[in-house]
Amino acid sequence: MNRLTDQQLLRDYAERRSESAFAELVRRHIDLIYSAALRMVCDSHLAEDVTQGAFVALARSAPQLTDRAVLSGWLHRTAQNIAAQTVRTDVRRRAREQEAAVMNELFTTEPDGGWEQIAPHLDAALGELGEADRDALLLRYFERKSAQEMAQVLGVSDEAAQKRVSRAVERLREFFAKRGVTVGASGLVVVISANAVQAAPVTLAASISTATAVFGTTVQNSIALSATKTIAMTTFQKAIIAVTVVVAGTGILYEAHRASRLQEQLQMLQLERESIDSTMLQLEQERNEAKAALATARNENVQSIEIPAELLRLRAEVTKLRAAAQARARLTAAETNDPTGASAKSWLTRVEQLRKHAESTPAIPELQLLTENDWLDAVKGNKVLESEADFRKALSRLRSAAKENFGNATRSALKKYLTASEGTLPSDWAQLNPYYEKPMDDAILERYELLQTGKLSDVPAKGFLFAEKALPVDQEYDTSYEYSLTGTRSSSVNRTDDVIEDAARKFASANNGLLPKDPAQLTPYLRRAIDPAELQRVFRKIPSDVTTFEQLKAVVTSPK
């Protein structure tokens, strides 16, 4: 048997179902396939499953492989495909388990503890906000208005209203951070929405109405009996005492009602915990049953040589698939019952995945300008983050948001500077930096250049005042930015010809319309670094008799 080739053994198995021939094939290749599977899935149990799947596939495809020269290559490719599917399935399972654990922890610990830290400072923080920000925040999270309803009340667009809310939440978070309460913007919104507005006791409204009526009646009686000062004063004192008694009683009722609500919430949480424990026990029981079924299948394999080995392995595989299908059905049902919660968990999971991936990716300093909403927007277009391309696109959106935030902050600083300087533009970043709402990091400013100096009135209406000059992080997905006082222009960073043409235009403007004789003369005018060999390539295309930028434009635009 050892002298036979893989093709002979496979043909023997395909034609006569020779168990010994198939066993020899397994013996020859199992170490290779298991080792490859272990490297790919990094788990010994999963590697065993992948190895079994590869040989089951070999048994099924034996008639088509009898003429294949190298069987190990086919087995390795098959194992690789099965491993990829296994890893994807395992990653999704782990992600769902992690989501469940995180949300369970949030629902059982975070809201109470977070609210106890936030509640003492919340109203002081609201008092620190401007009126417009405070109104937007109260409408959105205290009165629970939708974004559209909030915009209608404020008389602004939906986008402007949402930006106002985001700004207010960020300022609240900064207020709490100064007092040692660290909380993310999304977490702060969740805690405020859940706890800031509590249902008042039903008896409170009636008590207040009664107290108001008593006070009003007392005042009327006091006016009617004004002839006797002593009687009027006594009546007023009685009203005050009555109101005090009512308010005191109302306070007691409110505290009792609040304690009752807290007790109800505690009981609900305990019931949820019991439900989760029951579900876990059921899953563990099903797992044990699957193990028992697998053990039974293996015993049957030992006792009966008439049943092919791959049939028993398929039976165990079916058992696993059934258990997985049941678990998936339960998760789907849970998400169907709470679609909002499932969507929120998915977004938070993708943001966390992106944050971890960003830690191992070259970063730009502008990322410190991002808000929580920017992170959420970055993953909005990707329902899943699996491939490297998914992460690169999301990170590119993050970098673009950071650059736009820098542009907005710089425009605001420029407007303040222009007011103070009577319309004169700054000549360097050091002059402009004091006019930012917060001083801008020098590492950020070094990545940009000021394009204009002198009077703003001398700059064209839509002229760009500053632009990005740093090299892109991702040549394929990133964009380069130019900014004016009223807008932003972004362009693909890998348009080398455009960058060189723009530099030639600037050089000609500074040199009486002439083109440089040496490509190196363009270097100070490039908005990003260009390989000297690339500069030489572009210059070789220019005819020798073309010496001005206007001539160059005529050559480029003339019909051929």
Side-chain angles (χ1 to χ4, degrees):
M1 188 69 68
N2 291 339
R3 299 196 192 101
L4 297 178
T5 65
D6 288 351
Q7 291 74 31
Q8 291 171 329
L9 291 171
L10 198 58
R11 189 176 295 109
D12 192 17
Y13 176 75
E15 295 174 355
R16 299 189 294 111
R17 311 304 292 177
S18 173
E19 290 292 331
S20 58
F22 192 82
E24 176 62 19
L25 287 171
V26 172
R27 186 193 65 77
R28 290 183 183 182
H29 299 284
I30 190 170
D31 292 341
L32 167 66
I33 302 308
Y34 174 76
S35 300
L38 186 59
R39 287 193 301 273
M40 288 183 280
V41 300
C42 301
D43 182 279
S44 58
H45 297 295
L46 292 178
E48 291 178 7
D49 293 341
V50 171
T51 304
Q52 287 185 2
F55 282 107
V56 168
L58 175 62
R60 292 172 178 168
S61 305
Q64 292 80 34
L65 300 173
T66 54
D67 295 328
R68 192 176 188 87
V70 181
L71 185 60
S72 57
W74 185 90
L75 280 170
H76 185 276
R77 183 61 180 172
T78 302
Q80 187 178 20
N81 293 336
I82 296 174
Q85 180 61 39
T86 301
V87 168
R88 284 194 293 270
T89 302
D90 191 57
V91 165
R92 294 191 187 100
R93 176 184 63 78
R94 291 176 186 272
R96 289 193 293 268
E97 292 175 354
Q98 184 178 5
E99 287 176 6
V102 169
M103 294 308 295
N104 185 44
E105 181 179 354
L106 284 174
F107 284 128
T108 55
T109 60
E110 184 178 354
D112 292 340
W115 177 243
E116 290 176 358
Q117 294 177 344
I118 290 171
H121 308 290
L122 177 58
D123 296 289
L126 291 172
E128 292 288 333
L129 297 177
E131 182 177 357
D133 290 348
R134 184 170 56 254
D135 290 346
L137 199 67
L138 291 173
L139 285 170
R140 188 71 176 94
Y141 298 117
F142 288 70
E143 298 185 24
R144 296 183 174 88
K145 300 285 188 184
S146 67
Q148 185 176 9
E149 292 172 337
M150 176 182 63
Q152 291 176 351
V153 172
L154 296 176
V156 297
S157 66
D158 292 2
E159 182 180 1
Q162 189 58 45
K163 287 183 177 179
R164 190 178 295 179
V165 170
S166 299
R167 182 176 64 240
V169 170
E170 183 61 23
R171 290 178 178 172
L172 274 188
R173 190 189 65 76
E174 293 174 356
F175 179 91
F176 288 120
K178 292 177 181 178
R179 285 153 179 78
V181 181
T182 302
V183 60
S186 57
L188 180 61
V189 168
V190 170
V191 172
I192 290 177
S193 299
N195 299 279
V197 179
Q198 305 290 339
V202 177
T203 56
L204 180 58
S207 300
I208 292 174
S209 300
T210 302
T212 305
V214 170
F215 186 74
T217 303
T218 303
V219 172
Q220 291 175 359
N221 291 338
S222 175
I223 295 173
L225 300 175
S226 58
T228 307
K229 181 178 181 180
T230 303
I231 296 176
M233 181 60 69
T234 303
T235 305
F236 181 74
Q237 291 174 347
K238 288 180 181 180
I240 294 298
I241 292 171
V243 171
T244 302
V245 171
V246 170
V247 171
T250 302
I252 295 172
L253 289 172
Y254 172 73
E255 290 298 328
H257 181 72
R258 185 170 182 270
S260 175
R261 288 189 73 252
L262 291 175
Q263 183 65 28
E264 291 175 358
Q265 291 177 358
L266 179 60
Q267 291 176 354
M268 289 178 63
L269 291 174
Q270 290 174 343
L271 290 174
E272 290 178 2
R273 174 64 66 87
E274 292 174 359
S275 176
I276 292 172
D277 291 342
S278 175
T279 302
M280 292 298 293
L281 288 174
Q282 183 178 355
L283 290 173
E284 185 175 359
Q285 182 179 357
E286 292 177 357
R287 184 192 65 181
N288 294 335
E289 291 175 354
K291 285 184 176 180
L294 181 59
T296 301
R298 287 176 176 171
N299 291 334
E300 291 175 356
N301 185 36
V302 173
Q303 295 171 1
S304 177
I305 61 173
E306 297 177 357
I307 301 177
E310 64 271 17
L311 181 59
L312 293 177
R313 286 193 292 269
L314 288 173
R315 183 180 299 172
E317 190 70 16
V318 168
T319 302
K320 287 184 182 179
L321 291 174
R322 286 176 178 170
Q326 292 173 356
R328 189 180 301 110
R330 285 193 295 272
L331 287 172
T332 302
E335 292 180 355
T336 302
N337 294 333
D338 185 17
T340 303
S343 177
K345 288 188 289 184
S346 176
W347 274 46
L348 292 175
T349 299
R350 280 178 280 153
V351 168
E352 186 61 24
Q353 288 178 317
L354 187 59
R355 288 185 190 275
K356 291 181 179 179
H357 199 82
E359 293 174 359
S360 60
T361 304
I364 60 174
E366 292 95 317
L367 293 183
Q368 61 188 270
L369 305 177
L370 292 172
T371 66
E372 290 295 325
N373 281 340
D374 292 330
W375 285 92
L376 291 170
D377 289 339
V379 301
K380 183 185 297 182
N382 297 82
K383 293 187 177 180
V384 293
L385 291 174
E386 293 183 347
S387 67
E388 187 62 23
D390 291 340
F391 283 103
R392 287 173 63 190
K393 291 177 183 177
L395 288 172
S396 177
R397 285 193 290 270
L398 266 184
R399 289 189 287 269
S400 294
K403 294 173 187 177
E404 290 176 355
N405 290 347
F406 170 79
N408 292 334
T410 303
R411 285 194 193 93
S412 178
L414 265 175
K415 292 175 182 177
K416 296 177 184 176
Y417 181 93
L418 290 168
T419 300
S421 65
E422 299 181 348
T424 301
L425 292 165
S427 59
D428 57 53
W429 291 111
Q431 294 177 339
L432 183 61
N433 206 359
Y435 291 86
Y436 284 95
E437 184 173 343
K438 293 181 180 179
M440 191 63 66
D441 189 344
D442 288 339
I444 297 177
L445 296 176
E446 291 172 0
R447 292 172 44 80
Y448 296 82
E449 64 175 341
L450 294 170
L451 303 178
Q452 308 287 346
T453 57
K455 288 289 186 179
L456 177 64
S457 57
D458 297 332
V459 179
K462 295 184 179 180
F464 295 103
L465 301 181
F466 57 103
E468 182 184 7
K469 66 177 182 180
L471 290 173
V473 174
D474 192 321
Q475 290 279 355
E476 183 176 356
Y477 293 109
D478 281 1
T479 52
S480 180
Y481 281 77
E482 296 173 291
Y483 309 85
S484 68
L485 271 182
T486 57
T488 302
R489 181 174 71 182
S490 62
S491 58
S492 175
V493 297
N494 55 7
R495 291 289 301 277
T496 302
D497 290 357
D498 291 347
V499 175
I500 296 175
E501 179 183 348
D502 182 61
R505 182 186 298 107
K506 293 177 183 176
F507 180 92
S509 177
N511 293 274
N512 298 320
L514 295 175
L515 291 173
K517 297 180 180 180
D518 185 350
Q521 293 177 278
L522 281 185
T523 301
Y525 298 91
L526 294 170
R527 65 172 179 259
R528 67 175 175 84
I530 300 292
D531 188 345
E534 191 68 13
L535 280 173
Q536 292 285 357
R537 178 188 66 79
V538 175
F539 261 74
R540 282 196 295 270
K541 297 180 180 179
I542 301 175
S544 57
D545 58 340
V546 173
T547 59
T548 68
F549 187 76
E550 291 300 324
Q551 290 175 339
L552 178 63
K553 288 174 57 179
V555 170
V556 172
T557 57
S558 63
K560 297 182 180 180

